[in-house]
Amino acid sequence: MRTADAKELAAAAANELRARSGADGYDAMVVLGSGWTEAVDAMGTPDIELDMADLPGFVPPTAAGHSAKVRSVWVGAKRVAVFLGRTHLYEDHDPMRVAHAVRTGVAAGASTVVLTGAAGSLRTDFAVGQPIVVRDHINLTSMSPLTGPDFVDLTGAYDPRLREAARDADVTLAEGVYAAVVGPQFATPAELGMLRGAGADLVGRSIALETIAAVEMGASVLGLAMVTNDAVGSVFERFDAERALDVVRSRAVRLGELLNAILVRV
């Protein structure tokens, strides 16, 4: 699928989203990552909830910790479209499908895009259960949601103004570089060493492709990753996927409150 076709499909989905929610448009959109689903309950005043499958171009997520719902939420005077889950490359989807929710939200009017996710930490000073603001990413998927001569400048992909708003909301927030890989397998010790050597602080399987699509459409992006496991320590202790999800789920309310505090500042 070409970028132009992906945008056309997103425009159709955006029109359907606005029609079903009765909204003229949206001020911001949020994509909730693995285990983040219940954060939506603390984000703001709920308006209406829809099935993603009711919107053109969407297929339900299959990964654990993701919901197939879209909720319209009021955060103060801002109307926010919250996608309670996402699709990934490892679910046998192409980059256009992965970026479809972001393109739909931006086509519906959202000028601010907040992307959340779960990640393994490559730093000893990033603790499990700690949310980290994404300062930059390393896209190691070898894929892009763009086709043709779309030469998009990603120098400031993660908007400094939004990162400042996040720090104003929580002065304890640290920043890091997110390495995006395909998965679903986890990295080997040698691969983790390579990622650390390349300057990555976090490793996960989302965010990067969505960011590229959002920036190409002119939106401002904030990335927020919850540390679910010590990726370096996994060399000595096997990764437990359910325990990693529980790390996020147990903090969902606090994460929703953080998202609310950030969104009211932008």
Side-chain angles (χ1 to χ4, degrees), residues 197-254:
D201 304 304
L202 304 160
V203 57
R205 293 173 295 280
S206 59
I207 294 182
L209 299 186
E210 295 161 309
T211 295
I212 295 168
V215 172
E216 191 273 334
M217 291 186 71
S220 300
V221 177
L222 174 69
L224 193 62
M226 166 62 76
V227 175
T228 59
N229 62 292
D230 176 3
V232 178
S234 65
V235 173
F236 308 102
E237 181 180 355
R238 293 183 63 86
F239 177 80
D240 186 326
E242 188 60 32
R243 184 169 63 185
L245 279 177
D246 286 342
V247 169
V248 188
R249 289 170 177 152
S250 65
R251 294 163 174 80
V253 172
R254 183 166 64 87

Side-chain angles (χ1 to χ4, degrees), residues 138-205:
I138 303 172
N139 178 15
L140 295 175
T141 68
S142 299
M143 297 185 187
S144 172
L146 308 179
T147 61
D150 289 318
F151 304 119
V152 178
D153 184 1
L154 296 177
T155 304
Y158 297 92
D159 192 281
R161 178 181 59 89
L162 295 180
R163 288 158 47 202
E164 183 64 29
R167 289 191 295 271
D168 287 343
D170 183 350
V171 296
T172 69
L173 285 175
E175 292 192 342
V177 175
Y178 180 100
V181 297
V182 176
Q185 75 281 353
F186 297 101
T188 68
E191 289 167 340
L192 293 172
M194 178 198 71
L195 293 174
R196 291 197 305 274
D201 304 304
L202 304 160
V203 57
R205 293 173 295 280

Side-chain angles (χ1 to χ4, degrees), residues 55-85:
L55 305 177
F58 280 89
V59 293
T62 62
H66 292 263
S67 168
K69 300 290 185 180
V70 186
R71 187 181 297 184
S72 180
V73 173
W74 287 100
V75 180
K78 297 182 179 71
R79 196 162 199 168
V80 182
V82 185
F83 293 81
L84 276 63

